[in-house]
Amino acid sequence: MSIVQSAILNICSNFRLPAEPCVLCGSMSHHGVWCEACDAALPYLAGSHCPVCAKPAPNGEVCGHCLKDPPAFSHTVAVFAYSFPIDRLIQAMKYDEQIFLARMMAKKLAPLPDRSNLPDCLIAMPLHPARLKSRGFNQAQLIAKPLSKSLGIPLLNQACQRLRDTPSQTSLPYDQRGKNMRGAFGCDADFSGKHVALVDDVMTSGASMNALAKAALTKGAARVSAWVIARTT
Ligand SMILES: [Zn+2]
Ligand SMILES: [Zn+2]
């Protein structure tokens, strides 16, 4: 390729997206809401991890915890480790309704799920109606919507509900989180034989995901996957 051709290609690729200030460093970004340099420094989930819960595990084998007490979901897809600056970006998305951040995060998650085993439908982790009313939006839904669109998988908005407005999981020790979530969700839809993917922003103890997956299995789901933007490691 000649120098002129590569210069033209360079200019064209720079014009693919309008330049905007990077949310992380403030320099002009053609890459999206954060620039390429900041993207390269993000805590992408690296190394081998448990295919079930996405916690670090040697050789990518199922971890001891999942072997001993398997969760109701059988697979987790996670983009990032929940650490700086992803934690800050997720907080911004959650409390300031930064839809553009949700779109960028969905864009990062979209290529990861196994194309030979895509789910039949997506469910965004439901918020309790009282919580939804006070927050005004559901951040899991903000992520699930563009995923549904780009992957062509239906997002079922009304299929599952949060029945109890449980105390915040973060206020509880890990061992009480499962108990806190018991019976927290209900699903109306019939998932018979379906592969269902549950979408959320962060997986910490996995207790909410487990409880929602149980509710989907109760309604006949054949397989439940967990799709999250970030995983605590
Ligand atoms: Zn940047
Ligand atoms: Zn595991």
Side-chain angles (χ1 to χ4, degrees):
M1 190 187 299
S2 76
I3 293 172
V4 176
Q5 275 173 324
S6 76
I8 290 171
L9 263 182
N10 237 334
I11 291 165
C12 290
S13 68
N14 281 346
F15 278 102
R16 260 200 324 253
L17 286 168
E20 53 187 318
C22 167
V23 291
L24 292 168
C25 73
S27 69
M28 290 312 277
S29 164
H30 297 278
H31 178 81
V33 296
W34 57 72
C35 74
E36 257 177 312
C38 286
D39 187 71
L42 288 178
Y44 282 95
L45 209 62
S48 42
H49 46 264
C50 169
V52 179
C53 71
K55 282 265 191 196
N59 307 321
E61 284 165 4
V62 177
C63 73
H65 188 264
C66 289
L67 280 175
K68 196 174 143 227
D69 188 13
F73 51 88
S74 49
H75 184 67
T76 296
V77 173
V79 188
F80 300 107
Y82 190 58
S83 57
F84 184 82
I86 284 297
D87 51 356
R88 305 289 170 85
L89 292 176
I90 286 179
Q91 294 297 317
M93 179 181 72
K94 211 161 176 163
Y95 299 109
D96 302 334
E97 195 177 5
Q98 306 278 15
I99 294 174
F100 63 95
L101 284 178
R103 271 199 217 113
M104 186 70 167
M105 291 179 187
K107 201 173 143 191
K108 294 290 173 184
L109 199 155
L112 302 184
D114 178 3
R115 291 303 190 261
S116 66
N117 196 6
L118 282 177
D120 299 295
C121 57
L122 303 181
I123 306 282
M125 177 63 70
L127 281 181
H128 187 269
R131 192 76 64 96
L132 184 61
K133 205 174 166 200
S134 71
R135 191 176 287 173
F137 65 96
N138 175 353
Q139 74 280 3
Q141 194 122 25
L142 297 185
I143 299 162
K145 228 173 170 177
L147 274 174
S148 159
K149 210 174 158 196
S150 67
L151 296 172
I153 301 170
L155 169 63
L156 308 184
N157 281 325
Q158 306 299 330
C160 301
Q161 297 83 34
R162 194 178 284 250
L163 305 173
R164 285 193 296 114
D165 195 8
T166 55
S168 165
Q169 289 289 85
T170 48
S171 66
L172 294 171
Y174 264 43
D175 57 349
Q176 284 178 30
R177 293 184 182 186
K179 207 170 156 196
N180 177 41
M181 293 311 299
R182 212 160 285 159
F185 298 98
C187 298
D188 298 326
D190 177 13
F191 293 129
S192 293
K194 297 269 194 285
H195 175 189
V196 180
L198 311 177
V199 180
D200 204 359
D201 52 352
V202 185
M203 190 193 285
T204 308
S205 71
S208 315
M209 200 55 100
N210 192 33
L212 181 57
K214 271 185 192 160
L217 290 178
T218 308
K219 290 294 181 174
R223 175 181 165 87
V224 179
S225 295
W227 290 5
V228 296
I229 299 303
R231 176 69 165 114
T232 54
T233 50

PDB file of all heavy atoms in Angstrom, residues 21-29 33-39, ligand 1:
ATOM      1  N   PRO A  21     -14.459  14.190  23.549  1.00  0.00           N
ATOM      2  CA  PRO A  21     -13.470  14.086  24.625  1.00  0.00           C
ATOM      3  C   PRO A  21     -13.612  12.743  25.348  1.00  0.00           C
ATOM      4  O   PRO A  21     -14.718  12.333  25.672  1.00  0.00           O
ATOM      5  CB  PRO A  21     -13.805  15.250  25.551  1.00  0.00           C
ATOM      6  CG  PRO A  21     -14.887  16.022  24.900  1.00  0.00           C
ATOM      7  CD  PRO A  21     -15.473  15.209  23.794  1.00  0.00           C
ATOM      8  N   CYS A  22     -12.489  12.072  25.546  1.00  0.00           N
ATOM      9  CA  CYS A  22     -12.472  10.786  26.263  1.00  0.00           C
ATOM     10  C   CYS A  22     -12.965  11.019  27.690  1.00  0.00           C
ATOM     11  O   CYS A  22     -12.501  11.947  28.362  1.00  0.00           O
ATOM     12  CB  CYS A  22     -11.050  10.238  26.260  1.00  0.00           C
ATOM     13  SG  CYS A  22     -10.779   8.857  27.390  1.00  0.00           S
ATOM     14  N   VAL A  23     -13.885  10.157  28.157  1.00  0.00           N
ATOM     15  CA  VAL A  23     -14.426  10.334  29.515  1.00  0.00           C
ATOM     16  C   VAL A  23     -13.364  10.088  30.585  1.00  0.00           C
ATOM     17  O   VAL A  23     -13.524  10.495  31.729  1.00  0.00           O
ATOM     18  CB  VAL A  23     -15.638   9.402  29.802  1.00  0.00           C
ATOM     19  CG1 VAL A  23     -16.851   9.807  29.000  1.00  0.00           C
ATOM     20  CG2 VAL A  23     -15.295   7.941  29.584  1.00  0.00           C
ATOM     21  N   LEU A  24     -12.271   9.429  30.209  1.00  0.00           N
ATOM     22  CA  LEU A  24     -11.247   9.102  31.211  1.00  0.00           C
ATOM     23  C   LEU A  24     -10.088  10.095  31.237  1.00  0.00           C
ATOM     24  O   LEU A  24      -9.619  10.475  32.295  1.00  0.00           O
ATOM     25  CB  LEU A  24     -10.728   7.679  30.987  1.00  0.00           C
ATOM     26  CG  LEU A  24     -11.770   6.583  31.269  1.00  0.00           C
ATOM     27  CD1 LEU A  24     -11.296   5.243  30.753  1.00  0.00           C
ATOM     28  CD2 LEU A  24     -12.066   6.502  32.760  1.00  0.00           C
ATOM     29  N   CYS A  25      -9.606  10.494  30.042  1.00  0.00           N
ATOM     30  CA  CYS A  25      -8.414  11.361  30.059  1.00  0.00           C
ATOM     31  C   CYS A  25      -8.655  12.735  29.434  1.00  0.00           C
ATOM     32  O   CYS A  25      -7.808  13.611  29.539  1.00  0.00           O
ATOM     33  CB  CYS A  25      -7.246  10.671  29.354  1.00  0.00           C
ATOM     34  SG  CYS A  25      -7.434  10.610  27.558  1.00  0.00           S
ATOM     35  N   GLY A  26      -9.802  12.904  28.786  1.00  0.00           N
ATOM     36  CA  GLY A  26     -10.141  14.211  28.237  1.00  0.00           C
ATOM     37  C   GLY A  26      -9.572  14.495  26.861  1.00  0.00           C
ATOM     38  O   GLY A  26      -9.962  15.465  26.220  1.00  0.00           O
ATOM     39  N   SER A  27      -8.640  13.636  26.366  1.00  0.00           N
ATOM     40  CA  SER A  27      -8.105  13.899  25.025  1.00  0.00           C
ATOM     41  C   SER A  27      -9.152  13.499  23.984  1.00  0.00           C
ATOM     42  O   SER A  27     -10.059  12.717  24.271  1.00  0.00           O
ATOM     43  CB  SER A  27      -6.798  13.119  24.818  1.00  0.00           C
ATOM     44  OG  SER A  27      -7.071  11.755  24.751  1.00  0.00           O
ATOM     45  N   MET A  28      -9.046  14.030  22.772  1.00  0.00           N
ATOM     46  CA  MET A  28     -10.071  13.756  21.765  1.00  0.00           C
ATOM     47  C   MET A  28     -10.015  12.284  21.374  1.00  0.00           C
ATOM     48  O   MET A  28      -8.947  11.740  21.090  1.00  0.00           O
ATOM     49  CB  MET A  28      -9.876  14.653  20.536  1.00  0.00           C
ATOM     50  CG  MET A  28     -10.200  16.120  20.814  1.00  0.00           C
ATOM     51  SD  MET A  28     -11.796  16.363  21.678  1.00  0.00           S
ATOM     52  CE  MET A  28     -12.935  16.321  20.322  1.00  0.00           C
ATOM     53  N   SER A  29     -11.159  11.647  21.361  1.00  0.00           N
ATOM     54  CA  SER A  29     -11.238  10.214  21.058  1.00  0.00           C
ATOM     55  C   SER A  29     -12.038   9.982  19.781  1.00  0.00           C
ATOM     56  O   SER A  29     -13.105  10.545  19.592  1.00  0.00           O
ATOM     57  CB  SER A  29     -11.923   9.498  22.226  1.00  0.00           C
ATOM     58  OG  SER A  29     -12.352   8.222  21.830  1.00  0.00           O
ATOM     59  N   VAL A  33     -16.521   6.623  23.498  1.00  0.00           N
ATOM     60  CA  VAL A  33     -16.551   7.511  24.668  1.00  0.00           C
ATOM     61  C   VAL A  33     -15.252   7.511  25.464  1.00  0.00           C
ATOM     62  O   VAL A  33     -14.993   8.418  26.233  1.00  0.00           O
ATOM     63  CB  VAL A  33     -17.745   7.225  25.605  1.00  0.00           C
ATOM     64  CG1 VAL A  33     -19.050   7.507  24.885  1.00  0.00           C
ATOM     65  CG2 VAL A  33     -17.725   5.806  26.121  1.00  0.00           C
ATOM     66  N   TRP A  34     -14.441   6.451  25.314  1.00  0.00           N
ATOM     67  CA  TRP A  34     -13.083   6.535  25.869  1.00  0.00           C
ATOM     68  C   TRP A  34     -12.097   6.255  24.750  1.00  0.00           C
ATOM     69  O   TRP A  34     -12.416   5.554  23.791  1.00  0.00           O
ATOM     70  CB  TRP A  34     -12.882   5.637  27.089  1.00  0.00           C
ATOM     71  CG  TRP A  34     -13.150   4.175  26.914  1.00  0.00           C
ATOM     72  CD1 TRP A  34     -12.380   3.287  26.227  1.00  0.00           C
ATOM     73  CD2 TRP A  34     -14.251   3.422  27.452  1.00  0.00           C
ATOM     74  NE1 TRP A  34     -12.935   2.024  26.304  1.00  0.00           N
ATOM     75  CE2 TRP A  34     -14.074   2.081  27.052  1.00  0.00           C
ATOM     76  CE3 TRP A  34     -15.366   3.747  28.244  1.00  0.00           C
ATOM     77  CZ2 TRP A  34     -14.982   1.077  27.409  1.00  0.00           C
ATOM     78  CZ3 TRP A  34     -16.260   2.737  28.587  1.00  0.00           C
ATOM     79  CH2 TRP A  34     -16.062   1.430  28.174  1.00  0.00           C
ATOM     80  N   CYS A  35     -10.889   6.821  24.883  1.00  0.00           N
ATOM     81  CA  CYS A  35      -9.940   6.763  23.766  1.00  0.00           C
ATOM     82  C   CYS A  35      -9.218   5.414  23.711  1.00  0.00           C
ATOM     83  O   CYS A  35      -9.291   4.622  24.656  1.00  0.00           O
ATOM     84  CB  CYS A  35      -8.948   7.924  23.875  1.00  0.00           C
ATOM     85  SG  CYS A  35      -7.732   7.700  25.187  1.00  0.00           S
ATOM     86  N   GLU A  36      -8.509   5.181  22.613  1.00  0.00           N
ATOM     87  CA  GLU A  36      -7.826   3.898  22.426  1.00  0.00           C
ATOM     88  C   GLU A  36      -6.778   3.639  23.505  1.00  0.00           C
ATOM     89  O   GLU A  36      -6.641   2.512  23.981  1.00  0.00           O
ATOM     90  CB  GLU A  36      -7.164   3.877  21.037  1.00  0.00           C
ATOM     91  CG  GLU A  36      -7.959   3.043  20.077  1.00  0.00           C
ATOM     92  CD  GLU A  36      -7.386   3.047  18.676  1.00  0.00           C
ATOM     93  OE1 GLU A  36      -7.072   4.153  18.179  1.00  0.00           O
ATOM     94  OE2 GLU A  36      -7.272   1.968  18.096  1.00  0.00           O
ATOM     95  N   ALA A  37      -6.033   4.700  23.876  1.00  0.00           N
ATOM     96  CA  ALA A  37      -4.983   4.529  24.884  1.00  0.00           C
ATOM     97  C   ALA A  37      -5.602   4.139  26.226  1.00  0.00           C
ATOM     98  O   ALA A  37      -5.101   3.243  26.920  1.00  0.00           O
ATOM     99  CB  ALA A  37      -4.181   5.814  25.023  1.00  0.00           C
ATOM    100  N   CYS A  38      -6.707   4.792  26.591  1.00  0.00           N
ATOM    101  CA  CYS A  38      -7.375   4.450  27.857  1.00  0.00           C
ATOM    102  C   CYS A  38      -7.966   3.044  27.760  1.00  0.00           C
ATOM    103  O   CYS A  38      -7.939   2.278  28.735  1.00  0.00           O
ATOM    104  CB  CYS A  38      -8.459   5.474  28.201  1.00  0.00           C
ATOM    105  SG  CYS A  38      -7.767   7.039  28.761  1.00  0.00           S
ATOM    106  N   ASP A  39      -8.501   2.704  26.582  1.00  0.00           N
ATOM    107  CA  ASP A  39      -9.083   1.369  26.392  1.00  0.00           C
ATOM    108  C   ASP A  39      -8.038   0.285  26.645  1.00  0.00           C
ATOM    109  O   ASP A  39      -8.299  -0.718  27.297  1.00  0.00           O
ATOM    110  CB  ASP A  39      -9.662   1.232  24.990  1.00  0.00           C
ATOM    111  CG  ASP A  39     -10.412  -0.077  24.812  1.00  0.00           C
ATOM    112  OD1 ASP A  39     -11.497  -0.199  25.403  1.00  0.00           O
ATOM    113  OD2 ASP A  39      -9.895  -0.976  24.118  1.00  0.00           O
TER     114      ASP A  39
HETATM  115 ZN    ZN B   1      -8.467   8.563  27.172  1.00  0.00          ZN
END
